[in-house]
Amino acid sequence: MSTSAADVAAAIDDMYDAFLTGDRTRFDSHLHPEVTTWETHLPGPLRTRAELDAYRAQRDAAGARPSLDSLSAREMRVDVWEDTAVARYVLVAVAPGGEPEYTRVTDVLRRSAAGWAIVHHHAELVQNVTWE
């Protein structure tokens, strides 16, 4: 069973790789069923995976799923306390032909027999700031 900060970081990196490849099942495997999702672009806090799924279904039906050339977590800091972890990082997203967008992210994760899963995701788009 994974217990280190490196394992948490690897799980987050795998989640974003799954997003880029369109593998929703793998992406969702990193989310707890009761995950709360608070992001700048969302219509409000989503308090469960079911609410997140409903939002994504509506977004995808409207043809608004983001298309990205790259998506990566940088400057990651992870702390682990037994079966709980907190990861803080800058998420860098680059749309085709676009400039990088930077988002400050905090993820709270819980470890189970299946591995680490995000129970709370908080992301804020940062304007006029560049991390490189």
Side-chain angles (χ1 to χ4, degrees), residues 46-105:
L46 304 176
R47 302 192 190 283
T48 64
R49 224 327 258 298
E51 288 182 11
L52 175 61
D53 288 344
Y55 165 78
R56 293 189 296 191
Q58 181 181 24
R59 176 201 64 196
D60 294 354
R65 184 182 188 277
S67 174
L68 299 173
D69 281 342
S70 67
L71 185 63
S72 60
R74 299 189 187 161
E75 299 185 33
M76 192 176 305
R77 293 186 55 196
V78 177
D79 292 303
V80 177
W81 303 276
E82 297 179 12
D83 292 336
T84 304
V86 176
R88 289 88 70 202
Y89 53 93
V90 176
L91 184 63
V92 182
V94 181
E99 294 295 317
E101 288 188 346
Y102 302 91
T103 302
R104 288 186 294 227
V105 177

Side-chain angles (χ1 to χ4, degrees), residues 14-67:
D14 184 66
M15 180 179 70
Y16 291 123
D17 181 66
F19 181 88
L20 284 174
T21 63
D23 187 343
R24 186 164 167 177
T25 301
R26 183 165 51 113
F27 182 93
D28 286 352
S29 74
H30 296 286
L31 303 177
H32 188 277
E34 298 301 317
V35 64
T36 54
T37 308
W38 299 356
E39 293 189 9
T40 301
H41 72 280
L42 294 177
L46 304 176
R47 302 192 190 283
T48 64
R49 224 327 258 298
E51 288 182 11
L52 175 61
D53 288 344
Y55 165 78
R56 293 189 296 191
Q58 181 181 24
R59 176 201 64 196
D60 294 354
R65 184 182 188 277
S67 174

Side-chain angles (χ1 to χ4, degrees), residues 84-87 106-110 117-122:
T84 304
V86 176
T106 302
D107 286 330
V108 179
L109 301 93
R110 180 178 298 151
I118 296 172
V119 296
H120 178 74
H121 173 80
H122 191 130

